[in-house]
Amino acid sequence: MPERLRYEDAREALEGHQRATKRELAARADAPPETLYYLACDDDLEVRSLVAANPASPIHADELLRTDSGVEVREELARKISRMMPDMPRSERTALQQRTVELLEKIAEDEAPRVRAIVAREVARCPTIPKQLATRLARDVEISVCGPILQYSPLLSDEDLVELIATCRIQGAVDAIARREGLSARVSDAVIATLDISAVAQLLTNPSARIRENSLESVIAKAAGIEAWHQPLVMRTELSLRAVRRIATFVSRALIDELAHRNNLDEETSIWLKARARDRIDAEKPAERPALDRNAVTEAFARGDLGDEMVMDAATTGQKTTVVLALSLLSGVDRARIEQVIEAESGRGIAALCWKAGLAMRTALSIQTYIAHVPKNNLVLPRAGIDYPMEPSEMLWHLQYFGIDTEVN
């Protein structure tokens, strides 16, 4: 096609019915609007995708493509329309601009999460989108959609964020809020109140998050058994001398050494930390742990002593056979079936199995981590630090998925 496109050239190209020519025409920024609208109805998916991505396509063509059967077409349209938002004024929009905004709001309701996720990523930092659009995306049921908005949107107020923390049940949503730049003390308090291990760790890692001293102390009071909080706590710059000493009672020697290098320590605290570090050297030497044999587990079960302590101890020392046997005895599930769940690296399946066995969620987390080696992004974490994050109906579903009898012991 010619470098400078005339209306007659476009018409001749359409009359030729050549697929390659139509694709080239669909991508041309100088293609006539009528031509692009015509191509928006073409049978070729790639032609429609090129029209959807073309900034020159008329608004009525874009509105037509919003309901296109091809997800790829709707993705290209979502990307193009979303990228127009930063250049639009907040108010006094033209009729065309207002139609574009309304089109974006409809795209944000697309049935395909991939389409909604594109919108969320593109407009996450944009202050000129409608507030209701940001709120809708922030409440989406997919973390790929709500996550970017929760982390970056300037349109969400502290009141919005506190409410979202209280009501949102999407795994990773509170983590996204905890990573926000310049997080206020009020929102930090709400994150801490959830006792969500991962979210609080993200908050502590966020150097721009403001955390009140009493809130930080409440985290320290619960942190001894939550290793994921240890290093982020040590790295907080606003620790008082009292907080430094409390943290040093439960963190590793390496982290005590990190505390000892802080600039705000008085001489007494510095000496105390060095002594504490020496004490930890012996405490951290790996102890010889004999593996629990089959008879010990069976006897403990017969006595009614087989529970979280023994199973967690076996899990954290990598005793897979012992863990499988214990789960089988406690849940009544065949060992081969339990090994199938573990081999599948199914965090939710393992959590459901531990629930059926009457074990705590923290034990389930240990089995996921040390026995099944579930990838970090797929770990099922305790809610509020201790509770199962799934409803009983969901856990029963996961048991059924692996062919396990859903009658709870």
Side-chain angles (χ1 to χ4, degrees), residues 263-276:
N263 295 325
N264 62 338
L265 300 180
D266 58 29
E267 185 176 358
E268 180 184 352
T269 301
S270 181
I271 293 172
W272 183 86
L273 284 173
K274 290 177 182 177
R276 186 74 193 177

Side-chain angles (χ1 to χ4, degrees), residues 347-390:
R348 292 183 180 274
I350 291 168
L353 190 58
C354 289
W355 172 73
K356 179 175 172 63
L359 297 169
M361 181 57 207
R362 291 217 177 154
T363 304
L365 181 58
S366 295
I367 295 173
Q368 291 178 72
T369 304
Y370 300 106
I371 301 299
H373 305 293
V374 175
K376 184 177 179 181
N377 291 339
N378 295 334
L379 286 174
V380 178
L381 302 174
R383 179 186 295 165
I386 54 174
D387 298 328
Y388 279 91
M390 300 181 289

Side-chain angles (χ1 to χ4, degrees), residues 19-29 31 36 39-40 42 44-58 61-62 65 68 72-77 80:
R19 180 174 297 182
T21 304
K22 287 195 291 185
R23 288 178 178 178
E24 181 183 350
L25 187 57
R28 291 282 295 251
L36 292 173
L39 290 172
D42 196 86
D44 187 353
L45 177 66
E46 186 171 344
V47 168
R48 302 198 308 276
S49 295
L50 290 167
V51 174
N54 192 337
S57 63
D62 291 336
L65 291 169
D68 194 276
E72 299 89 342
V73 175
R74 305 199 308 273
E75 287 177 341
E76 291 294 347
L77 182 65
K80 178 183 70 177

Side-chain angles (χ1 to χ4, degrees), residues 118-132:
I118 288 172
V119 175
R121 288 196 302 269
E122 294 293 341
V123 304
R125 293 179 172 86
C126 182
T128 60
I129 63 170
K131 171 70 179 289
Q132 65 268 21

